[in-house]
Amino acid sequence: MNPPHEHSVVVGQRLGRIPNPPHKLDRLLSLSKYLTALPSPPTSCDRSEGITDWPMYLNDKLGDCAIACPSHQVEIFTKAATGTAREVTDADVLTAYESQGYSPSDPATDQGCAPLSVLDYWRHTGIGGDTLYAYATVDPSDLNMVKTALGLFYGVYLGVGLPLTAQSQDVWDVVDAAPALNGAGTWGGHAIPAIAYDEQGLAVVTWGATKKMTWKFFSNYCDEVYACLPNDFAALPTHPLDNGLDFATLQQDMFAVGAINE
């Protein structure tokens, strides 16, 4: 039986993004509050850091995409900071997935996980030893902010409701089809990191490789975008604090919502 978050399973391409718990939505911080008066983003940006090896992170067998996504972000952060990408192990990914309710002894528990639950786990516990200092939501309809966040934060975490039409596309794009085929989420929910963009669209990492999506596809099917700030952000060659991030206000708001303790 297919998990409820996947309406149609493609071999080797599992989904797994499920809705966020309502109580976590009340604590979301909006990136636009902390990035103001920014210049227009460049027409293109690539934050892949030259990485060409993107592990599957078990997402061909398990609905753990919401954990595979930040695992790829760890690769980018560590490559930018040290010159060498550190790959999270499959065991690390499995441990994180188990924290979200999965039990290897019970296939019925392979039900995916919510991005905000994973982001909180990444921040509090860490994925493969790498932790997150903070994350903030980005309005998907504000393409300039999406581009700015991707550049400043070395990629962004996306949540998308994939249509069934995406199953056969080399480049994800919007096509004319019946709503049962091209409607948002008709295939299921997926979490992926966007690592580059240009005038045509974005590049994301999914199922062990990079994939292109058009801006039209992004606008139609992406409903979650998060900018992630690693704990060791000061080691990055360029980081948001050097480019207009109001870190003092961010910290104050994190105290206010209980995200960190004074």
XYZ file of all heavy atoms in Angstrom, residues 122-223:
773
model
N 17.071 19.295 13.109
C 18.385 19.712 12.621
C 18.981 20.770 13.551
O 20.152 20.734 13.880
C 18.222 20.257 11.208
C 19.478 20.606 10.466
C 20.769 20.305 10.813
C 19.557 21.318 9.220
N 21.641 20.797 9.865
C 20.924 21.413 8.881
C 18.610 21.868 8.373
C 21.362 22.060 7.721
C 19.038 22.505 7.211
C 20.394 22.596 6.893
N 18.153 21.680 14.029
C 18.640 22.760 14.873
C 18.972 22.273 16.276
O 20.000 22.646 16.848
C 17.591 23.881 14.942
C 18.098 25.183 15.536
C 17.100 26.300 15.325
N 15.816 25.985 15.912
C 15.556 26.073 17.208
N 16.506 26.432 18.056
N 14.361 25.784 17.674
N 18.134 21.429 16.854
C 18.329 21.006 18.243
C 19.305 19.833 18.373
O 20.146 19.810 19.278
C 16.992 20.603 18.867
C 16.073 21.751 19.133
N 16.348 22.727 20.066
C 14.878 22.080 18.581
C 15.363 23.613 20.087
N 14.464 23.250 19.195
N 19.182 18.854 17.473
C 19.935 17.602 17.601
C 21.081 17.521 16.599
O 22.177 17.062 16.925
C 18.997 16.393 17.418
O 17.944 16.480 18.389
C 19.755 15.085 17.588
N 20.814 17.951 15.394
C 21.816 17.885 14.342
C 21.619 16.674 13.450
O 21.048 15.662 13.859
N 22.065 16.799 12.224
C 22.027 15.704 11.257
C 23.466 15.346 10.924
O 24.201 16.147 10.345
C 21.244 16.095 9.993
C 19.773 16.386 10.351
C 21.324 14.986 8.944
C 18.942 16.876 9.186
N 23.877 14.175 11.362
C 25.255 13.756 11.139
C 26.272 14.652 11.808
O 27.395 14.806 11.323
N 25.888 15.256 12.936
C 26.811 16.098 13.679
C 26.769 17.563 13.287
O 27.384 18.401 13.958
N 26.072 17.911 12.216
C 25.953 19.308 11.792
C 24.624 19.877 12.278
O 23.570 19.258 12.110
C 26.040 19.413 10.273
C 27.475 19.353 9.784
O 27.981 18.240 9.563
O 28.097 20.429 9.658
N 24.694 21.062 12.858
C 23.500 21.677 13.423
C 23.191 23.012 12.751
O 24.037 23.613 12.087
C 23.660 21.906 14.938
O 24.868 22.646 15.170
C 23.704 20.588 15.684
N 21.986 23.451 12.970
C 21.472 24.671 12.373
C 21.278 25.704 13.470
O 20.791 25.383 14.556
C 20.131 24.353 11.704
C 19.508 25.357 10.744
C 20.383 25.524 9.516
C 18.115 24.862 10.331
N 21.679 26.948 13.197
C 21.455 27.998 14.190
C 20.023 28.520 14.109
O 19.348 28.683 15.128
C 22.431 29.156 14.001
C 22.217 30.236 15.042
C 22.735 30.081 16.323
C 21.463 31.366 14.767
C 22.507 31.036 17.304
C 21.236 32.328 15.734
C 21.762 32.153 16.997
O 21.525 33.095 17.972
N 19.570 28.789 12.909
C 18.243 29.379 12.743
C 17.722 29.083 11.347
O 18.483 28.746 10.433
C 18.297 30.894 12.965
N 16.422 29.204 11.192
C 15.811 29.151 9.869
C 14.672 30.155 9.844
O 14.113 30.525 10.879
C 15.317 27.749 9.516
C 14.226 27.208 10.409
C 12.884 27.475 10.158
C 14.530 26.410 11.515
C 11.873 26.975 10.978
C 13.542 25.905 12.335
C 12.217 26.184 12.063
O 11.226 25.696 12.883
N 14.363 30.626 8.660
C 13.277 31.599 8.498
C 12.549 31.303 7.199
O 13.142 30.838 6.224
C 13.822 33.028 8.493
N 11.267 31.581 7.198
C 10.472 31.311 6.011
C 10.607 32.440 4.994
O 10.826 33.601 5.344
C 8.989 31.111 6.395
O 8.244 30.709 5.246
C 8.387 32.384 6.958
N 10.507 32.070 3.739
C 10.562 33.014 2.626
C 9.257 32.883 1.846
O 8.812 31.767 1.563
C 11.756 32.713 1.701
C 11.811 33.702 0.535
C 13.064 32.731 2.482
N 8.656 34.001 1.505
C 7.410 33.995 0.735
C 7.703 33.488 -0.681
O 8.449 34.137 -1.428
C 6.837 35.409 0.687
C 5.524 35.496 -0.080
O 5.076 34.482 -0.645
O 4.950 36.615 -0.119
N 7.135 32.339 -1.092
C 7.434 31.816 -2.430
C 7.024 32.758 -3.559
O 7.580 32.673 -4.660
C 6.626 30.508 -2.495
C 6.378 30.131 -1.073
C 6.248 31.438 -0.331
N 6.060 33.647 -3.302
C 5.622 34.564 -4.350
C 6.567 35.738 -4.542
O 6.472 36.464 -5.534
C 4.214 35.086 -4.041
O 4.222 35.943 -2.915
N 7.491 35.943 -3.603
C 8.471 37.029 -3.694
C 9.746 36.464 -4.315
O 10.680 36.058 -3.619
C 8.748 37.598 -2.300
C 9.634 38.835 -2.327
O 10.266 39.093 -3.376
O 9.720 39.524 -1.295
N 9.787 36.432 -5.637
C 10.899 35.778 -6.322
C 12.226 36.467 -6.058
O 13.273 35.806 -6.007
C 10.626 35.698 -7.828
C 9.410 34.857 -8.254
C 9.352 34.744 -9.771
C 9.434 33.479 -7.612
N 12.222 37.781 -5.892
C 13.467 38.469 -5.576
C 14.024 38.012 -4.231
O 15.232 37.819 -4.084
C 13.268 39.984 -5.568
C 13.304 40.582 -6.960
O 13.790 39.950 -7.911
N 12.781 41.781 -7.104
N 13.141 37.822 -3.246
C 13.597 37.354 -1.942
C 14.053 35.902 -2.013
O 15.015 35.506 -1.350
C 12.507 37.524 -0.888
C 12.944 37.189 0.528
S 14.331 38.188 1.141
C 13.488 39.740 1.504
N 13.370 35.097 -2.817
C 13.791 33.697 -2.999
C 15.208 33.663 -3.575
O 16.083 32.928 -3.096
C 12.814 32.948 -3.917
C 13.371 31.563 -4.273
C 11.444 32.798 -3.243
N 15.456 34.473 -4.599
C 16.782 34.518 -5.214
C 17.828 35.044 -4.233
O 18.940 34.502 -4.126
C 16.746 35.405 -6.462
C 15.892 34.870 -7.598
C 15.791 35.885 -8.727
C 14.894 35.398 -9.851
N 14.741 36.412 -10.926
N 17.467 36.095 -3.498
C 18.394 36.658 -2.525
C 18.742 35.639 -1.453
O 19.907 35.464 -1.089
C 17.780 37.908 -1.866
O 17.597 38.919 -2.865
C 18.679 38.448 -0.765
N 17.725 34.933 -0.941
C 17.955 33.932 0.099
C 18.827 32.798 -0.420
O 19.727 32.321 0.278
C 16.620 33.388 0.606
N 18.582 32.370 -1.654
C 19.400 31.284 -2.213
C 20.862 31.699 -2.283
O 21.762 30.912 -1.942
C 18.876 30.907 -3.597
C 19.448 29.644 -4.240
C 18.455 29.058 -5.240
C 20.774 29.900 -4.955
N 21.113 32.943 -2.678
C 22.489 33.398 -2.767
C 23.152 33.573 -1.418
O 24.276 33.124 -1.203
N 22.446 34.200 -0.476
C 23.038 34.504 0.823
C 23.159 33.288 1.728
O 24.076 33.210 2.558
C 22.227 35.584 1.541
C 22.257 36.996 0.947
C 21.480 37.946 1.838
C 23.689 37.484 0.779
N 22.238 32.336 1.588
C 22.207 31.195 2.504
C 22.673 29.898 1.823
O 22.389 28.813 2.304
C 20.803 31.019 3.081
C 20.401 32.141 3.999
C 19.827 33.296 3.492
C 20.610 32.056 5.362
C 19.463 34.344 4.326
C 20.251 33.090 6.207
C 19.678 34.246 5.689
N 23.362 30.022 0.700
C 23.931 28.852 0.014
C 22.860 27.818 -0.327
O 23.025 26.621 -0.118
C 25.045 28.234 0.854
C 26.281 29.099 0.914
C 26.317 30.231 1.730
C 27.408 28.813 0.143
C 27.431 31.058 1.772
C 28.527 29.638 0.178
C 28.536 30.757 0.993
O 29.649 31.572 1.023
N 21.752 28.309 -0.855
C 20.635 27.444 -1.210
C 19.462 27.663 -0.283
O 19.587 28.312 0.762
N 18.323 27.141 -0.672
C 17.122 27.217 0.157
C 16.416 25.864 0.165
O 16.538 25.073 -0.770
C 16.148 28.318 -0.326
C 16.647 29.698 0.067
C 15.904 28.243 -1.827
N 15.701 25.623 1.235
C 14.932 24.383 1.440
C 13.532 24.625 0.874
O 12.831 25.534 1.301
C 14.898 24.123 2.950
C 14.264 22.840 3.432
C 14.974 21.961 4.241
C 12.935 22.525 3.160
C 14.406 20.794 4.745
C 12.353 21.373 3.638
C 13.093 20.506 4.436
O 12.519 19.356 4.932
N 13.123 23.794 -0.091
C 11.817 23.944 -0.725
C 10.879 22.809 -0.347
O 11.294 21.649 -0.234
C 11.951 23.943 -2.255
C 12.896 24.922 -2.929
C 12.765 24.787 -4.452
C 12.628 26.354 -2.500
N 9.603 23.156 -0.201
C 8.545 22.164 -0.111
C 7.628 22.351 -1.308
O 7.144 23.459 -1.555
N 7.440 21.289 -2.077
C 6.641 21.387 -3.300
C 5.552 20.321 -3.302
O 5.719 19.229 -2.753
C 7.516 21.248 -4.569
C 8.463 22.428 -4.701
C 8.308 19.943 -4.557
N 4.433 20.661 -3.927
C 3.351 19.707 -4.153
C 3.423 19.245 -5.598
O 2.886 19.907 -6.499
N 4.107 18.149 -5.857
C 4.372 17.727 -7.228
C 3.111 17.225 -7.930
O 2.330 16.459 -7.354
C 5.433 16.628 -7.247
C 6.856 17.038 -6.861
C 7.777 15.826 -6.888
C 7.387 18.123 -7.785
N 2.940 17.616 -9.193
C 1.839 17.079 -9.991
C 2.249 15.763 -10.642
O 3.444 15.485 -10.815
C 1.632 18.158 -11.052
C 3.023 18.690 -11.283
C 3.701 18.644 -9.921
N 1.288 14.972 -11.012
C 1.597 13.723 -11.694
C 2.334 13.958 -13.010
O 3.141 13.118 -13.432
C 0.300 12.946 -11.959
C -0.292 12.230 -10.741
C -1.716 11.772 -11.033
C 0.570 11.033 -10.359
N 2.086 15.083 -13.646
C 2.768 15.363 -14.913
C 4.273 15.465 -14.749
O 5.021 15.302 -15.722
C 2.229 16.672 -15.517
O 2.274 17.708 -14.524
C 0.805 16.509 -16.010
N 4.753 15.725 -13.530
C 6.194 15.858 -13.308
C 6.919 14.525 -13.402
O 8.152 14.498 -13.573
C 6.452 16.486 -11.942
N 6.187 13.425 -13.300
C 6.843 12.117 -13.258
C 7.655 11.822 -14.516
O 8.683 11.139 -14.448
C 5.801 11.015 -13.055
C 5.170 11.011 -11.674
C 4.183 9.867 -11.478
O 3.775 9.219 -12.443
N 3.798 9.624 -10.243
N 7.243 12.323 -15.655
C 7.901 11.976 -16.917
C 8.711 13.125 -17.503
O 9.177 13.034 -18.641
C 6.849 11.536 -17.944
O 5.905 12.578 -18.169
N 8.938 14.188 -16.728
C 9.607 15.365 -17.269
C 11.100 15.394 -16.929
O 11.477 15.193 -15.779
C 8.955 16.641 -16.724
C 7.535 16.866 -17.225
C 6.943 18.150 -16.663
O 7.152 18.500 -15.513
N 6.197 18.855 -17.499
N 11.918 15.686 -17.931
C 13.339 15.900 -17.691
C 13.565 17.246 -17.003
O 14.433 17.378 -16.139
C 14.122 15.843 -19.003
C 14.135 14.449 -19.611
O 14.104 13.464 -18.835
O 14.159 14.340 -20.849
N 12.798 18.241 -17.410
C 12.766 19.542 -16.755
C 11.353 19.749 -16.238
O 10.389 19.655 -17.015
C 13.145 20.683 -17.728
C 12.984 22.039 -17.043
C 14.567 20.510 -18.241
N 11.223 20.010 -14.955
C 9.889 20.210 -14.407
C 9.313 21.521 -14.914
O 9.893 22.593 -14.727
C 9.944 20.215 -12.876
C 10.044 18.835 -12.289
C 9.696 17.661 -12.882
C 10.496 18.489 -10.984
N 9.918 16.601 -12.039
C 10.405 17.082 -10.866
C 10.974 19.233 -9.904
C 10.766 16.405 -9.692
C 11.344 18.573 -8.748
C 11.232 17.165 -8.639
N 8.156 21.425 -15.563
C 7.493 22.591 -16.127
C 5.987 22.383 -16.035
O 5.509 21.257 -15.828
C 7.929 22.791 -17.584
C 7.648 24.182 -18.116
O 7.144 25.027 -17.346
O 7.921 24.433 -19.313
N 5.252 23.459 -16.190
C 3.797 23.398 -16.155
C 3.295 23.055 -17.549
O 3.704 23.680 -18.537
C 3.199 24.745 -15.702
C 1.676 24.677 -15.693
C 3.722 25.118 -14.320
N 2.444 22.058 -17.635
C 1.873 21.656 -18.918
C 0.359 21.627 -18.812
O -0.211 21.480 -17.723
C 2.399 20.266 -19.356
C 3.893 20.310 -19.604
C 2.070 19.208 -18.310
N -0.285 21.785 -19.962
C -1.742 21.707 -20.000
C -2.162 20.257 -19.815
O -1.691 19.366 -20.522
C -2.267 22.236 -21.333
C -2.084 23.739 -21.477
O -2.086 24.428 -20.438
O -1.955 24.212 -22.617
N -3.016 20.036 -18.840
C -3.522 18.694 -18.566
C -4.722 18.825 -17.645
O -4.993 19.906 -17.095
C -2.445 17.823 -17.917
N -5.439 17.745 -17.484
C -6.570 17.751 -16.569
C -6.073 18.002 -15.154
O -4.953 17.600 -14.803
C -7.296 16.412 -16.641
N -6.875 18.675 -14.309
C -6.456 18.946 -12.931
C -6.033 17.694 -12.170
O -5.188 17.765 -11.276
C -7.692 19.593 -12.317
C -8.392 20.233 -13.471
C -8.171 19.299 -14.631
N -6.596 16.555 -12.525
C -6.219 15.315 -11.842
C -4.785 14.923 -12.151
O -4.193 14.100 -11.435
C -7.159 14.182 -12.260
N -4.215 15.517 -13.207
C -2.838 15.207 -13.589
C -1.867 16.338 -13.261
O -0.746 16.083 -12.837
C -2.769 14.899 -15.089
C -3.528 13.663 -15.572
C -3.424 13.553 -17.087
C -2.991 12.406 -14.917
N -2.278 17.587 -13.490
C -1.339 18.684 -13.265
C -1.659 19.520 -12.036
O -1.037 20.547 -11.797
C -1.230 19.586 -14.501
C -2.446 20.483 -14.697
O -3.426 20.391 -13.961
N -2.392 21.355 -15.694
N -2.592 19.056 -11.204
C -2.904 19.765 -9.975
C -1.789 19.622 -8.949
O -1.102 18.594 -8.890
N -1.588 20.653 -8.153
C -0.548 20.617 -7.116
C -0.794 19.459 -6.159
O -1.887 19.307 -5.614
C -0.517 21.931 -6.350
N 0.225 18.644 -5.969
C 0.135 17.539 -5.019
C -0.535 16.291 -5.545
O -0.715 15.335 -4.786
N -0.898 16.251 -6.828
C -1.537 15.039 -7.344
C -0.578 13.850 -7.367
O -1.013 12.702 -7.338
C -2.112 15.275 -8.753
O -1.122 15.897 -9.591
C -3.332 16.178 -8.678
N 0.716 14.113 -7.448
C 1.703 13.050 -7.241
C 1.979 12.933 -5.745
O 1.889 11.854 -5.168
C 2.970 13.357 -8.022
C 4.059 12.320 -7.915
C 4.003 11.124 -7.254
C 5.377 12.401 -8.494
N 5.207 10.456 -7.366
C 6.065 11.206 -8.128
C 6.028 13.356 -9.274
C 7.386 10.966 -8.530
C 7.339 13.111 -9.673
C 8.009 11.930 -9.305
N 2.307 14.053 -5.089
C 2.559 14.038 -3.652
C 3.469 15.175 -3.239
O 3.909 15.984 -4.062
N 3.774 15.237 -1.954
C 4.625 16.292 -1.413
C 6.080 15.881 -1.414
O 6.427 14.732 -1.120
N 6.952 16.844 -1.719
C 8.381 16.558 -1.824
C 9.163 17.726 -1.224
O 8.728 18.883 -1.290
C 8.758 16.383 -3.296
C 10.064 15.688 -3.536
N 10.561 14.688 -2.707
C 10.994 15.836 -4.535
C 11.716 14.260 -3.195
N 12.009 14.946 -4.285
N 10.307 17.422 -0.615
C 11.205 18.438 -0.061
C 12.541 18.330 -0.766
O 13.106 17.231 -0.880
C 11.377 18.248 1.437
N 13.075 19.464 -1.236
C 14.291 19.483 -2.041
C 15.036 20.792 -1.809
O 14.425 21.818 -1.567
C 13.968 19.355 -3.553
C 12.767 20.258 -3.914
C 13.719 17.918 -3.946
C 12.355 20.219 -5.350
N 16.370 20.763 -1.902
C 17.112 22.020 -1.829
C 17.268 22.635 -3.216
O 17.602 21.938 -4.183
C 18.468 21.587 -1.269
C 18.654 20.199 -1.795
C 17.270 19.588 -1.908
N 17.027 23.934 -3.317
C 17.344 24.671 -4.544
C 18.749 25.222 -4.380
O 19.051 25.883 -3.379
C 16.346 25.792 -4.774
N 19.620 24.957 -5.342
C 21.034 25.291 -5.204
C 21.523 26.302 -6.233
O 22.641 26.796 -6.127
C 21.904 24.028 -5.282
C 21.711 23.321 -6.622
C 21.579 23.084 -4.122
C 22.687 22.198 -6.885
N 20.697 26.616 -7.223
C 21.097 27.564 -8.259
C 19.849 28.081 -8.961
O 18.785 27.472 -8.906
C 22.040 26.901 -9.270
N 20.029 29.225 -9.628
C 18.950 29.750 -10.456
C 19.532 30.567 -11.600
O 20.681 31.025 -11.556
C 17.974 30.605 -9.636
C 18.525 31.946 -9.191
C 18.534 33.050 -10.051
C 19.051 32.125 -7.918
C 19.053 34.277 -9.649
C 19.568 33.347 -7.503
C 19.561 34.420 -8.383
O 20.081 35.632 -7.997
N 18.730 30.737 -12.635
C 19.043 31.655 -13.724
C 17.717 32.197 -14.236
O 16.681 32.068 -13.568
C 19.871 30.977 -14.825
C 19.201 29.749 -15.421
O 17.948 29.632 -15.317
O 19.900 28.898 -16.007
N 17.728 32.806 -15.417
C 16.501 33.424 -15.916
C 15.432 32.394 -16.261
O 14.236 32.705 -16.255
C 16.828 34.280 -17.139
C 17.675 35.507 -16.801
C 18.006 36.333 -18.028
O 18.092 35.755 -19.132
O 18.168 37.558 -17.885
N 15.841 31.155 -16.530
C 14.880 30.118 -16.910
C 14.220 29.443 -15.707
O 13.084 29.013 -15.772
C 15.561 29.047 -17.774
C 15.807 29.467 -19.220
C 16.877 30.518 -19.334
O 17.980 30.349 -18.791
N 16.588 31.603 -20.035
N 14.964 29.336 -14.617
C 14.394 28.643 -13.474
C 15.438 28.291 -12.438
O 16.486 28.939 -12.330
N 15.158 27.237 -11.659
C 16.018 26.823 -10.557
C 16.599 25.445 -10.814
O 16.025 24.643 -11.554
C 15.208 26.766 -9.258
C 14.620 28.064 -8.741
C 13.134 27.897 -8.494
C 15.297 28.477 -7.457
N 17.728 25.180 -10.175
C 18.288 23.829 -10.130
C 18.103 23.303 -8.715
O 18.390 24.010 -7.742
C 19.760 23.837 -10.502
N 17.606 22.079 -8.600
C 17.388 21.461 -7.300
C 18.114 20.122 -7.266
O 18.552 19.607 -8.289
C 15.879 21.252 -7.021
C 15.142 22.591 -7.061
C 15.255 20.261 -8.012
N 18.246 19.574 -6.067
C 18.844 18.250 -5.910
C 17.757 17.296 -5.459
O 17.053 17.556 -4.470
C 19.982 18.258 -4.869
C 20.585 16.857 -4.733
C 21.058 19.256 -5.256
N 17.600 16.202 -6.185
C 16.609 15.203 -5.810
C 17.006 13.847 -6.376
O 17.533 13.761 -7.489
C 15.203 15.597 -6.302
O 14.247 14.639 -5.833
C 15.113 15.679 -7.820
N 16.814 12.811 -5.583
C 17.061 11.433 -5.995
C 18.463 11.236 -6.574
O 18.660 10.610 -7.611
C 15.986 10.983 -6.982
C 14.609 11.120 -6.414
C 14.170 10.667 -5.202
C 13.493 11.789 -7.018
N 12.857 11.018 -5.004
C 12.418 11.698 -6.093
C 13.303 12.460 -8.225
C 11.171 12.252 -6.359
C 12.064 12.999 -8.492
C 11.015 12.892 -7.569
N 19.454 11.818 -5.875
C 20.835 11.580 -6.224
C 21.364 12.337 -7.422
O 22.430 11.992 -7.944
N 20.656 13.384 -7.846
C 21.101 14.145 -9.014
C 20.498 15.550 -8.970
O 19.632 15.838 -8.142
C 20.690 13.439 -10.301
N 20.972 16.403 -9.864
C 20.367 17.725 -9.983
C 19.268 17.685 -11.032
O 19.290 16.860 -11.952
C 21.405 18.789 -10.375
O 22.047 18.393 -11.588
C 22.442 18.958 -9.273
N 18.316 18.577 -10.864
C 17.190 18.654 -11.799
C 16.781 20.112 -11.940
O 16.842 20.878 -10.980
C 16.013 17.820 -11.278
C 14.928 17.573 -12.301
C 13.897 16.601 -11.778
C 12.897 16.207 -12.865
N 13.482 15.345 -13.904
N 16.348 20.494 -13.135
C 15.890 21.854 -13.394
C 14.375 21.943 -13.242
O 13.643 21.008 -13.575
C 16.285 22.290 -14.803
C 17.796 22.387 -15.043
C 18.381 23.585 -14.333
C 19.850 23.802 -14.697
N 20.040 24.196 -16.106
N 13.946 23.085 -12.743
C 12.517 23.411 -12.777
C 12.372 24.840 -13.281
O 13.219 25.699 -13.000
C 11.853 23.260 -11.401
C 12.231 24.307 -10.380
S 11.149 24.335 -8.909
C 11.501 22.764 -8.148
N 11.333 25.095 -14.062
C 11.114 26.439 -14.561
C 10.545 27.317 -13.448
O 10.001 26.828 -12.447
C 10.136 26.443 -15.741
O 8.838 26.014 -15.283
C 10.620 25.500 -16.855
N 10.648 28.636 -13.625
C 10.051 29.554 -12.650
C 8.540 29.380 -12.598
O 7.920 29.530 -11.537
C 10.421 30.999 -12.984
C 11.819 31.355 -12.613
C 12.850 31.679 -13.444
C 12.364 31.421 -11.285
N 13.997 31.938 -12.729
C 13.728 31.787 -11.398
C 11.837 31.210 -10.005
C 14.559 31.951 -10.288
C 12.664 31.365 -8.901
C 14.003 31.729 -9.045
N 7.938 29.062 -13.730
C 6.494 28.848 -13.744
C 6.130 27.635 -12.891
O 5.142 27.650 -12.138
C 6.000 28.665 -15.181
C 4.476 28.591 -15.297
C 4.033 28.529 -16.756
C 2.501 28.493 -16.857
N 2.048 28.431 -18.274
N 6.922 26.582 -12.996
C 6.689 25.393 -12.185
C 6.834 25.741 -10.710
O 5.992 25.358 -9.877
C 7.686 24.295 -12.568
C 7.450 22.968 -11.900
C 6.681 21.993 -12.512
C 7.997 22.679 -10.653
C 6.462 20.759 -11.897
C 7.780 21.456 -10.026
C 7.007 20.501 -10.660
N 7.908 26.461 -10.377
C 8.117 26.880 -8.991
C 6.912 27.662 -8.473
O 6.409 27.397 -7.378
C 9.381 27.730 -8.906
C 9.597 28.368 -7.557
C 10.227 27.682 -6.535
C 9.161 29.674 -7.308
C 10.421 28.272 -5.284
C 9.344 30.267 -6.068
C 9.974 29.564 -5.056
N 6.448 28.624 -9.248
C 5.346 29.473 -8.798
C 4.045 28.701 -8.637
O 3.215 29.043 -7.790
C 5.143 30.635 -9.784
O 6.277 31.487 -9.789
N 3.868 27.654 -9.424
C 2.639 26.872 -9.360
C 2.654 25.813 -8.271
O 1.599 25.490 -7.714
C 2.368 26.204 -10.702
C 1.640 27.093 -11.674
O 0.422 27.045 -11.803
N 2.391 27.943 -12.369
N 3.835 25.276 -7.951
C 3.857 24.086 -7.107
C 4.674 24.205 -5.812
O 4.596 23.311 -4.973
C 4.373 22.897 -7.924
C 3.524 22.591 -9.127
C 4.039 22.698 -10.423
C 2.187 22.226 -8.986
C 3.251 22.430 -11.527
C 1.390 21.951 -10.088
C 1.924 22.066 -11.362
O 1.138 21.809 -12.454
N 5.438 25.267 -5.645
C 6.198 25.425 -4.404
C 5.388 26.241 -3.412
O 4.946 27.359 -3.725
C 7.534 26.116 -4.677
S 8.521 26.363 -3.172
N 5.183 25.712 -2.218
C 4.420 26.433 -1.198
C 5.192 26.618 0.104
O 4.673 27.187 1.061
C 3.088 25.724 -0.913
C 3.246 24.247 -0.614
O 3.939 23.914 0.371
O 2.695 23.421 -1.362
